[in-house]
């Protein structure tokens, strides 16, 4: 018998980058992910959340939003899915000696993302 899975999502505002910017949080069972969009442009902003990009219209709010999102990623064991880092994937965020640190990278591969689905006419690529 297949197990049922419940997926929930939330899009809290993460002010500071641009007006109305939000992150997307997904949860399914014990799995958690946060899609950070424009909140992070570089891994440097994880180890130094005080570093803003030139696009942050409210720099102090952007720093506070980054710290809040990163802390929750640590506390809730959320995988962080960046929109602007090179490659496709997600990473764990850790806290070491009171500072945020990059954890393991979980790459997304085409094979994992583009699984064929069945249709009435057979498999679809």
């Amino acid at each position: 018998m297949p197990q049922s899975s419940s997926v929930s999502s939330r899009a809290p505002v993460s002010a500071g980058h641009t007006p109305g910017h939000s992150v997307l949080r997904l949860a399914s069972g014990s799995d958690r992910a946060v899609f950070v969009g424009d909140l992070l442009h570089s891994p440097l902003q994880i180890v130094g959340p005080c570093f803003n990009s030139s696009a942050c219209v409210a720099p102090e709010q952007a720093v506070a939003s980054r710290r809040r999102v990163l802390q929750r990623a640590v506390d809730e064991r959320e995988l962080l899915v960046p929109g602007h880092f090179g490659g496709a994937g997600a990473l764990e965020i850790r806290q070491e000696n009171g500072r945020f640190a990059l954890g393991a990278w979980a790459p997304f591969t085409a094979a994992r993302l583009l699984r064929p689905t069945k249709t009435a006419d057979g498999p679809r690529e």
Side-chain angles (χ1 to χ4, degrees), residues 93-106:
I93 304 299
R94 296 185 183 166
Q95 206 160 26
E96 297 172 356
N97 300 318
R99 302 185 79 149
F100 297 112
L102 285 73
W105 180 257

Side-chain angles (χ1 to χ4, degrees), residues 44-100:
L44 180 61
Q45 291 176 302
I46 293 172
V47 296
C50 60
F51 297 120
N52 285 306
S53 74
S54 61
C56 292
V57 297
E60 289 178 11
Q61 283 185 318
V63 170
S65 290
R66 267 191 297 282
R67 286 188 173 132
R68 186 179 63 254
V69 168
L70 291 169
Q71 187 63 56
R72 178 164 170 171
V74 169
D75 294 344
E76 300 290 324
R77 298 186 53 127
E78 295 174 322
L79 278 178
L80 186 131
V81 184
H84 291 289
F85 295 8
L91 70 149
E92 297 173 352
I93 304 299
R94 296 185 183 166
Q95 206 160 26
E96 297 172 356
N97 300 318
R99 302 185 79 149
F100 297 112

Side-chain angles (χ1 to χ4, degrees), residues 26 32-36 78-92 104-115:
L26 293 178
R32 305 268 182 273
V34 58
F35 294 75
V36 296
E78 295 174 322
L79 278 178
L80 186 131
V81 184
H84 291 289
F85 295 8
L91 70 149
E92 297 173 352
W105 180 257
F108 296 149
T109 63
R112 287 173 57 193
L113 292 176
L114 302 175
R115 291 189 181 118

